Structure formats: C-alpha cells, structure tokens
Amino acid sequence: MLKNNRQGHSKKIIFIDTIGVAKEYAPKPAIHFIPDWYKKIEASFPKKVTPDFMPTIKKCIPVLDAITAGYIIVSPCDVYVSTKDGEPHYNSKIANLIQFHPRKQGYLHPSANDFQFPKWTNPWAIKTPQGYSCLFKSPAHNSNPWFEILEGIVDTDAYNASVNFPFVLKNPTEEFMIPAGTPIAQVIPFKREEWKSSISDDIKLHQNVSQYLNSQFFDRYKRMFWSRKSYS
C-alpha cells in the first residue's frame, strides 16, 4: 500500500492591498502562525519509544495540516475595544476598519449575542485561478481570547473585491486591546468540483488499512498515507 505524493503545478493566489497596509501585516502562509501551545507541548510520553509510547496531539498530522493550511490574514493595526452607551465601541488608527451588520440579520445564529454583528473590513482583495474558491474560517487550533469570525466560502476567481469578516466578541462587555498582527482569518483555496456520495458495506479496505497500521508503533499515518501540502 503506497501513499501518493505526486504534486501538480503550483496554483497562485493573489492578495491585493486596497488601502496601503504595512508590509509587516501582509497575509502569509499559515505555517508562519503555528500557535505557541503547539510548539510547547511534548510530542509523546515517554519521549523514548516503548510499547507504552503515547503520542500527543503534536504527533497528529491531520491537526498540523489544519493549522498550516492556506494563508492567514491579520489585523493591520491595534484595535481598542471599550463600551459606549451600553454597546461595544471600537477605536483604531485605520478609519472604518470595524463596521457593523444589524443584529436582526443573524439573530438566530448560535453565536449571536445582544449586540450588532461587527465586521473586519478586510484590506485585501483576493484573486484565485478560474474554478477555485476560498474558505474563510477562524485560524485552526489557534483561537484568541477576544473574537471569532463567522465562516464562509467565496468564489474568488470571479469575486475580486475585499471579503469582509463578520465576527462576535467573546466578552462584549469587557475592555481590551486587539493587537496589530492578530490572526483574523485563515484563507484556504480549493478547487470547485461536483461530488456524489454513496454508502458501502464493503469493509475490506478498512481491514487492509487497519492491518497495515498495526505493523508499526508510531508516525503510522505520516509514513504510510500522508501527502505533503504546500503554501508559499
């Protein structure tokens, strides 16, 4: 059983600066934003491989693939959040960086609170090749204590205006600073294709994979099945 590591020609995603953002806050591949908790956690207990070897989440390649998929858009400046007339109030050096949707536009959303939906006005327009869209989501396994965006998919091959990011505050009555460079959104380009599903009761494939996995103690998925992904 062999894994497929064949890579096709690289596709190009273009981030277009619409307001003149400092280069320090330009979008970068997500691999540059591996969270501190992931870097610090031990890879296994004990460190030496024994029959009792227990890998941690650091050894889970699907988690690392999720963290490093695509690109990260960050806040282009500090944003100070306070309260004014009982509502969250936002202050930043970039005019209109935070705008709003009325609460009634999403009042049944599970993340809705008692306030309007604020949104980051994204300074970056995005262009992908024909047939490719982008998933915009909160950075995988890299949450912050202040806010979380509402996820969405945009056909960025055709729509080349800025994609803004509605969000909710986790603590809307508190006062705090969101520092410049805070990861806002993870941008994952993907090819649009038609899919059909089916249900099968043929368990031979599952049995074959399980037998293969049981032939080794550690790094089994990485060595046997995983294909490297590349974003630059």
Side-chain angles (χ1 to χ4, degrees), residues 51-98:
D52 298 324
F53 174 84
M54 181 180 70
T56 69
I57 194 171
K58 196 168 193 171
K59 283 285 189 180
C60 182
I61 293 299
V63 168
L64 181 60
D65 272 349
I67 291 172
T68 58
Y71 305 85
I72 299 291
I73 291 175
V74 304
S75 54
C77 66
D78 292 342
V79 176
Y80 189 75
V81 184
S82 58
T83 56
K84 185 177 182 180
D85 299 327
E87 294 275 343
H89 181 71
Y90 302 83
N91 196 328
S92 70
K93 295 294 185 180
I94 296 179
N96 300 315
L97 180 62
I98 306 295

Side-chain angles (χ1 to χ4, degrees), residues 162-173:
S162 298
V163 176
N164 296 323
F165 307 124
F167 66 94
V168 291
L169 292 177
K170 296 179 179 178
N171 298 290
T173 60

Side-chain angles (χ1 to χ4, degrees), residues 16-26 76-77 94 122-125:
I16 303 164
D17 185 354
T18 64
I19 65 170
V21 176
K23 63 180 181 180
E24 291 82 359
Y25 305 123
C77 66
I94 296 179
N122 177 21
W124 301 97

Side-chain angles (χ1 to χ4, degrees), residues 23-41:
K23 63 180 181 180
E24 291 82 359
Y25 305 123
K28 295 181 178 66
I31 196 169
H32 295 289
F33 294 89
I34 294 176
D36 287 341
W37 73 263
Y38 186 90
K39 294 177 182 178
K40 293 175 182 177
I41 194 171

